[in-house]
């Protein structure tokens, strides 16, 4: 059985905070303890707070909230 959590845009920053992530001046997701280190998606792209769609279970693979990213992710 898989667990799925759906969240509203208003809680994105709270979720990232729980994952020890922060947002830099360019609205990109970064490591809280090293703000120069940007978080990357499963295909190596930087990801902004507006693009944040979720995190893969058991890892820190971030997923953008668009159809192309979801399709690519489902095939990986």
């Amino acid at each position: 059985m898989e667990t799925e959590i759906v969240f509203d845009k208003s809680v994105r920053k709270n979720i990232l905070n729980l994952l020890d992530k922060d947002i830099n001046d360019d609205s990109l997701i970064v490591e809280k303890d090293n703000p120069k280190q940007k978080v990357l998606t499963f295909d190596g792209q930087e990801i902004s707070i507006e693009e944040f769609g979720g995190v893969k279970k058991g890892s820190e693979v971030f997923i953008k909230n668009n159809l192309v990213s979801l399709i690519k992710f489902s095939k990986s």
Side-chain angles (χ1 to χ4, degrees), residues 21-31 35-39 46-49:
K21 306 298 179 235
D22 205 355
I23 308 302
N24 70 10
D25 293 337
D26 296 324
S27 297
L28 295 174
I29 301 172
V30 295
E31 296 293 335
K36 292 185 180 195
Q37 184 178 348
K38 297 175 183 103
V39 167
E46 296 173 349
I47 183 169
S48 73
I49 185 68

Side-chain angles (χ1 to χ4, degrees), residues 10-64:
S10 66
V11 298
R12 288 178 185 171
K13 288 184 180 180
N14 298 63
I15 292 170
L16 292 175
N17 188 45
L18 292 171
L19 297 169
D20 290 326
K21 306 298 179 235
D22 205 355
I23 308 302
N24 70 10
D25 293 337
D26 296 324
S27 297
L28 295 174
I29 301 172
V30 295
E31 296 293 335
K32 190 180 286 185
D33 62 348
N34 183 6
K36 292 185 180 195
Q37 184 178 348
K38 297 175 183 103
V39 167
L40 301 177
T41 62
F42 64 95
D43 58 350
Q45 296 181 21
E46 296 173 349
I47 183 169
S48 73
I49 185 68
E50 290 302 316
E51 298 172 308
F52 176 54
V55 181
K56 181 179 176 182
K57 178 182 175 183
S59 69
E60 287 193 351
V61 175
F62 283 70
I63 306 160
K64 291 186 179 182

